[in-house]
Amino acid sequence: MSEQSLPDDARAEYTRALPEYAERVLEVAELIPPGRVMTYGDVAEWLEEGGPRQVGRMMALYGGAVPWWRVVRADGALLPGHELRALERYRTEGTPLKAASRAAEGHVPRLDMRRARWDGGERAAGHT
């Protein structure tokens, strides 16, 4: 369940219930600029804690209230089950995509990770 699906009076309680690691993961997700992405591993590396699986778990459990589509798999494949919603957001934000091959299931494009990946840039310098 995401924070967005909760009634207004329950959101404060939900936020207090977040594990500290989840809060940190979500804060990084909110820093990623439109049109750019970070991998699950990139987020873990930025936080200097956990790994891609831990970040992925936090995003799956708590990521609905942040730009979840900007935290992605390293291979650029769109999140299974959420491909169309993510693709709509990538196109709106101008996120670089690679055309789908004929062999790709559903002909869904992938992210162009070389061009879309964000390393934190200047904002990363102020991160503690």
Side-chain angles (χ1 to χ4, degrees):
M1 173 184 286
S2 74
E3 181 180 354
Q4 290 175 328
S5 63
L6 296 172
D8 289 339
D9 58 345
R11 285 191 181 147
E13 183 63 31
Y14 175 86
T15 302
R16 284 193 295 273
L18 280 177
E20 189 268 336
Y21 186 68
E23 287 182 35
R24 293 176 61 217
V25 167
L26 300 181
E27 287 172 2
V28 174
E30 289 179 323
L31 292 174
I32 303 168
R36 304 300 297 274
V37 299
M38 288 180 89
T39 68
Y40 298 114
D42 292 340
V43 173
E45 186 176 322
W46 177 320
L47 294 173
E48 298 179 344
E49 183 179 355
R53 289 179 187 238
Q54 290 84 1
V55 170
R57 182 73 176 150
M58 294 301 101
M59 291 300 296
L61 291 173
Y62 307 108
V66 299
W68 54 267
W69 59 93
R70 296 182 193 151
V71 182
V72 301
R73 293 172 35 163
D75 66 1
L78 306 191
L79 184 63
H82 302 280
E83 298 94 299
L84 297 180
R85 287 185 12 205
L87 188 56
E88 179 181 330
R89 290 192 163 112
Y90 295 139
R91 288 181 172 150
T92 299
E93 293 182 357
T95 308
L97 299 168
K98 287 184 175 181
S101 70
R102 289 184 181 162
E105 187 175 328
H107 301 290
V108 176
R110 288 182 176 258
L111 292 160
D112 183 340
M113 294 302 293
R114 187 180 55 75
R115 294 175 39 225
R117 201 169 194 171
W118 185 64
D119 66 2
E122 293 177 16
R123 289 178 128 168
H127 174 72
T128 58

